[in-house]
Amino acid sequence: MSKAHVIGLGKSGVAAARLLKREGWEVELSDGNTSETLLLQQQELAAEQITVKLGQSLELNDDNLPQLIVVSPGVPWDIPILIKARQLGIETIGEMELAWRNLRSLPWVGITGTNGKTTTTALIAAIFQAAELDAPACGNIGYAACEVALSYRGLGDRGIGEETPIQNCIDWVIAELSSYQIESSSSLAPRIGVWTTFTPDHLSRHKTLENYYNIKAKLLHQSELQVFNGDDAYLRQQGLNSWPNAYWTSVRGKDFLISQKGFYIEDDWVVEKLTATSAPEAIVKVSTLRMVGEHNQQNLLMAVATARLAGINRDAIALAISEFPGVAHRLEHICTWEGIDFINDSKATNYDAAEVGLASVKSPAILIAGGEAKAGDDTGWLAQIQTKAAAVLLIGSAAPAFAQRLQEIGYYSYHIVETMERAIPKSAELAKEYQASVVLLSPACASFDQYPNFEVRGDRFRKLCIAWAAGAKFQHNLILSSSL
């Protein structure tokens, strides 16, 4: 029996291990961490005859080498053990590549970009589902891609000797793809590739901007049809010279479309022009979308472009867009307390996303920022703070450095509060003081100094805000009742 080794006991790693086991591999899974949760998973997988080694890394001993190594998205592609594995001729792939090999008979939409890809992916999936297509969202959102493959390749209970694969009725795979997942997926080739934005990010892993760009560009080059955000400065600069056959988009209208075909906004309508000679056709009203901000109009254009290229009609598109609630942790409205909106933008893990988040809310705002700092250009973000933020509350390990940067631009209305628990009551106090209508968590940082991921950080913000609002209301009612 051929041996496969999976690195990383997360959702993707577990799904990959189960898929390999179903295909007849002898499967071993390793994770350098250990915890009570991981120990429970270890026991669960052991019952499925999948070996799990916790608190240790893969070792390549000459007498028992795996024929295949599958890497979870969070594992760097260039760590020494993977370099050695490739030198030894061991096939090394990512979890997404494994899923693709099992689902390549289906059409895929692959969405990548520095920012905007989660909202765009969720909106695309919602439109496809409104058109009564089975189109699960996976990858960096929703299911692990190998979970979709397990569903598609599920075995039915047909009696002894009749375990024939049942192909579930999946019509499209809608995959949000990070640079990490693209990097480890050599043959992934979507029917439609979408590129939302491009700004410096993950450079600690990818080293150079050129390398980061080339990784994302690989996905689009391998896509049959390509959709680009033509309002993104970097992508627009690459333009038709790099992508002559792509469909471009622009919220600024037909005159800003850099191609003779594409999708643009005109008089509150998304308009399509599918060929150089075809007449423009209005598809859906922009005001149908409930989410605010120009960046969400860009996401809307790319989602509509994808749907139309997939042959989806206007009625399904309009229905999905009118009902689309937005994405958790991306400008998510949590609650309103005494006229102050508390908004969770925990997914803003870099300066560009945080700049967009702050630009999208009413001013003045109270901003909560900080976490584990990333490399990048903070100029636009700082300018937005000067324009819109009445005060900034700083949390996490980046707080001292952020405080220094704010001082350098002459902004002194900041407070180092260190934790989310201190930030919420302080933000409510400052919102009252400055008559601010919004408290916005938009960290401009990764979460790993205090939380496992941005979702946990956003969930904590949500829980604290709701508890604060309920507690403050209780105290107010108590005061009123005691005065009667």
Side-chain angles (χ1 to χ4, degrees), residues 71-380:
V71 182
S72 297
V75 178
W77 192 235
D78 58 354
I79 58 175
I81 194 68
L82 295 184
I83 294 172
K84 181 180 179 181
R86 291 191 283 270
Q87 290 172 343
L88 290 170
I90 300 170
E91 185 176 21
T92 306
I93 63 173
E95 179 262 346
M96 184 63 66
E97 174 72 12
L98 177 64
W100 163 254
R101 292 180 183 186
N102 283 270
L103 296 169
R104 65 189 310 158
S105 62
L106 296 172
W108 283 50
V109 178
I111 303 99
T112 194
T114 309
N115 299 309
K117 58 184 180 290
T118 297
T119 300
T120 303
T121 302
L123 186 50
I124 289 171
I127 294 171
F128 278 56
Q129 289 158 19
E132 299 185 348
L133 295 169
D134 191 326
C138 66
N140 234 30
I141 183 177
Y143 300 104
C146 281
E147 287 181 308
V148 176
L150 280 165
S151 168
Y152 186 65
R153 297 288 301 277
L155 297 181
D157 183 7
R158 301 208 181 169
I160 297 173
E162 297 183 33
E163 288 190 342
T164 306
I166 298 173
Q167 294 189 343
N168 292 349
C169 298
I170 297 175
D171 300 299
W172 285 78
V173 177
I174 314 297
E176 179 188 335
L177 298 162
S178 70
S179 56
Y180 301 174
Q181 290 162 317
I182 299 168
E183 186 178 34
S184 58
S185 302
S186 59
S187 67
L188 176 59
R191 174 76 56 82
I192 304 171
V194 181
W195 196 337
T196 60
T197 55
F198 185 76
T199 54
D201 199 9
H202 305 302
L203 298 187
S204 59
R205 173 152 166 173
H206 299 312
K207 311 306 180 190
T208 68
L209 189 66
E210 182 182 18
N211 191 35
Y212 179 46
Y213 176 87
N214 288 336
I215 288 168
K216 290 189 174 294
K218 181 178 78 169
L219 178 77
L220 276 293
H221 281 304
Q222 293 180 183
S223 298
E224 184 179 333
L225 300 170
Q226 302 146 346
V227 175
F228 283 85
N229 175 9
D231 296 318
D232 180 87
Y234 197 99
L235 296 178
R236 190 178 182 86
Q237 183 182 356
Q238 300 301 311
L240 296 178
N241 290 330
S242 298
W243 308 98
N245 298 313
Y247 291 85
W248 292 83
T249 66
S250 180
V251 300
R252 294 178 173 83
K254 182 179 179 180
D255 292 344
F256 288 85
L257 209 61
I258 66 174
S259 171
Q260 290 185 305
K261 62 182 183 181
F263 293 75
Y264 57 92
I265 292 177
E266 185 173 86
D267 298 328
D268 192 43
W269 282 89
V270 172
V271 179
E272 78 171 14
K273 196 171 186 303
L274 289 179
T275 69
T277 56
S278 63
E281 183 178 353
I283 303 300
V284 65
K285 288 184 76 70
V286 177
S287 54
T288 306
L289 185 69
R290 287 185 281 173
M291 295 185 297
V292 299
E294 184 179 274
H295 66 293
N296 279 320
Q297 293 181 2
Q298 294 169 354
N299 298 336
L300 172 66
L301 278 173
M302 290 179 284
V304 172
T306 302
R308 294 296 288 168
L309 293 176
I312 293 175
N313 65 49
R314 287 178 291 183
D315 290 342
I317 292 171
L319 174 64
I321 290 168
S322 67
E323 296 180 347
F324 188 68
V327 176
H329 312 296
R330 192 68 180 110
L331 291 170
E332 174 193 10
H333 181 269
I334 301 299
C335 63
T336 301
W337 172 74
E338 296 195 11
I340 302 162
D341 292 326
F342 288 77
I343 295 177
N344 169 23
D345 197 32
S346 182
K347 199 176 190 304
T349 60
N350 56 49
Y351 297 120
D352 298 284
E355 179 185 347
V356 168
L358 194 50
S360 301
V361 301
K362 298 176 183 177
S363 61
I366 306 300
L367 173 66
I368 302 172
E372 184 179 286
K374 290 183 176 181
D377 183 358
D378 63 2
T379 307

Side-chain angles (χ1 to χ4, degrees), residues 7-25:
I7 302 177
L9 188 58
K11 181 170 65 173
S12 297
V14 170
R18 284 177 167 149
L19 183 58
L20 288 166
K21 185 67 179 178
R22 179 167 291 181
E23 291 179 339
W25 291 81

Side-chain angles (χ1 to χ4, degrees), residues 401-430:
F402 278 8
Q404 183 176 342
R405 287 293 289 134
L406 290 170
Q407 287 181 33
E408 288 170 3
I409 63 166
Y411 186 99
Y412 293 95
S413 185
Y414 67 84
H415 306 263
I416 297 178
V417 293
E418 298 179 344
T419 67
M420 198 78 75
E421 288 72 16
R422 294 175 185 164
I424 302 308
K426 185 67 175 177
S427 68
E429 174 193 324
L430 290 171

Side-chain angles (χ1 to χ4, degrees), residues 386-462:
Q386 288 178 303
T387 302
K388 306 240 353 211
V392 179
L393 301 178
L394 299 173
I395 62 173
S397 61
F402 278 8
Q404 183 176 342
R405 287 293 289 134
L406 290 170
Q407 287 181 33
E408 288 170 3
I409 63 166
Y411 186 99
Y412 293 95
S413 185
Y414 67 84
H415 306 263
I416 297 178
V417 293
E418 298 179 344
T419 67
M420 198 78 75
E421 288 72 16
R422 294 175 185 164
I424 302 308
K426 185 67 175 177
S427 68
E429 174 193 324
L430 290 171
K432 285 287 190 182
E433 179 182 340
Y434 289 103
Q435 296 184 319
S437 57
V438 173
V439 170
L440 172 68
L441 169 67
S442 192
C445 283
S447 59
F448 305 124
D449 58 331
Q450 294 180 317
Y451 302 95
N453 51 54
F454 73 81
E455 292 98 336
V456 174
R457 176 172 62 191
D459 289 341
R460 184 61 178 159
F461 175 79
R462 183 190 299 110

